[in-house]
Amino acid sequence: MKRKDLFREGFKSVFQFTFTKAEEISEAIKEVWEEETGPNPKQKQISKETKAQKKPKPTSVRKRKTKMFQTLSLPPGASSDFFSLCTGCNECIFACPYAVLFPVTATDSDKSFPHFDPNAKACHLCTDWPCITSCPEEALIPYKVSETTPKFGKAKLIKDFCINEKTGESTCNACFVTCPIEKTVKFKGNLPVFSQTNCTGCGLCVETCPSFPKAIQIKLIQK
C-alpha cells in the first residue's frame, strides 16, 4: 500500500469513528432531554384527577354594553336601536368639526361604533348637528324642536381640586362662562353648583377647567 493511500485509510477510519460516536452522543442527549421536558406519567394522572374534581364554571352571559363602553358616550341623537342600525361607516366621525368622535371596536365583534369621552374632549352642541345629518342609516335621530339639547350625563364638582376651594375666593368662573346652557351653572358661595335638570353632560366645563386634576367630572347616564 502506498503511503498516500495509508494516510487516506487512516483518516477515513478516524472520521468514521467520530461520526458514529457523535450520533450515539446525540441520541443519548435527545433521550435525556425528552425525559426532562416530557410529561411525567404521575403528574399527568394527577392533573387529570384534579380536572375531574373541578366543577365546571357556569356560562356567563356577555352583555352588549361592556364596562369599556360604559365609560364612553354615544354620539348626539343616538337611537334606542343604535347598535343594530349603525354600520360603522364613520360618516359622523368625519362630519364632526371638532374631532370629538372616535371609533371603538366592540369586544364581541369586529365592528366599530362611534363614541366620545366628555371628560376628555367635549361635544360642542352644534346647532346644525352635522354628525346626525351625516348618518345614512338613521342610527342618529334629529332632535325635535322641544328637545334642542341631548343628555349625555351630569356635571359633578370635585371640590378638593377646585381653584376657588384652594384660594377661598371666587378666583375662577371658567365653567360658568363656558357652559352653553343658561341657568346650568350657579355659585353657592365661591363654589360652582350644576343644575341636574339643565346640564347636558357635554363636557365643555370639564374641558375649560384650568385645574389639574380637573375639578369637574361628567357622570354619564347609563342606558
Side-chain angles (χ1 to χ4, degrees):
M1 182 180 290
K2 294 181 181 180
R3 188 176 180 181
K4 186 176 182 181
D5 293 333
L6 180 62
F7 278 113
R8 182 180 295 171
E9 289 297 326
F11 279 120
K12 185 176 180 181
S13 300
V14 172
F15 286 139
Q16 186 65 38
F17 174 80
T18 304
F19 292 148
T20 302
K21 291 301 178 183
E23 289 179 1
E24 292 177 0
I25 294 170
S26 177
E27 289 296 326
I29 293 173
K30 187 176 180 181
E31 289 178 6
V32 173
W33 175 259
E34 288 177 352
E35 289 178 2
E36 292 293 332
T37 59
N40 190 331
K42 291 183 179 179
Q43 290 179 351
K44 196 172 183 181
Q45 185 177 358
I46 293 170
S47 63
K48 284 184 178 179
E49 292 175 357
T50 305
K51 286 182 180 178
Q53 291 174 1
K54 287 184 178 179
K55 294 181 180 180
K57 293 182 179 180
T59 305
S60 58
V61 180
R62 176 180 281 180
K63 294 182 179 180
R64 182 64 174 171
K65 208 170 185 183
T66 62
K67 187 176 180 180
M68 176 183 67
F69 283 90
Q70 290 175 359
T71 62
L72 302 174
S73 179
L74 294 175
S79 67
S80 56
D81 296 328
F82 176 80
F83 289 104
S84 299
L85 296 173
C86 178
T87 60
C89 66
N90 294 333
E91 289 298 326
C92 58
I93 295 176
F94 302 141
C96 178
Y98 298 98
V100 174
L101 300 173
F102 52 86
V104 177
T105 303
T107 55
D108 56 352
S109 71
D110 295 331
K111 195 174 179 182
S112 61
F113 300 96
H115 286 75
F116 83 101
D117 184 354
N119 288 300
K121 199 166 187 180
C123 173
H124 286 245
L125 305 178
C126 304
T127 54
D128 54 348
W129 302 110
C131 55
I132 296 177
T133 56
S134 66
C135 180
E137 303 297 334
E138 296 184 352
L140 303 178
I141 302 172
Y143 292 103
K144 297 177 181 179
V145 178
S146 59
E147 299 173 347
T148 55
T149 57
K151 287 287 183 182
F152 304 118
K154 298 175 182 179
K156 180 183 178 181
L157 177 69
I158 305 175
K159 187 171 120 176
D160 293 340
F161 299 150
C162 183
I163 291 176
N164 292 351
E165 173 68 13
K166 294 177 180 179
T167 61
E169 301 175 358
S170 299
T171 307
C172 177
N173 67 345
C175 53
F176 174 80
V177 174
T178 307
C179 182
I181 311 299
E182 292 183 4
K183 299 180 180 179
T184 299
V185 183
K186 298 179 181 179
F187 279 87
K188 188 175 181 180
N190 62 327
L191 296 178
V193 178
F194 304 96
S195 170
Q196 298 300 295
T197 54
N198 294 346
C199 181
T200 65
C202 66
L204 281 169
C205 56
V206 179
E207 193 173 272
T208 57
C209 179
S211 67
F212 183 84
K214 297 287 185 177
I216 307 169
Q217 185 179 28
I218 302 299
K219 293 291 185 181
L220 297 179
I221 297 173
Q222 302 300 332
K223 295 181 181 180

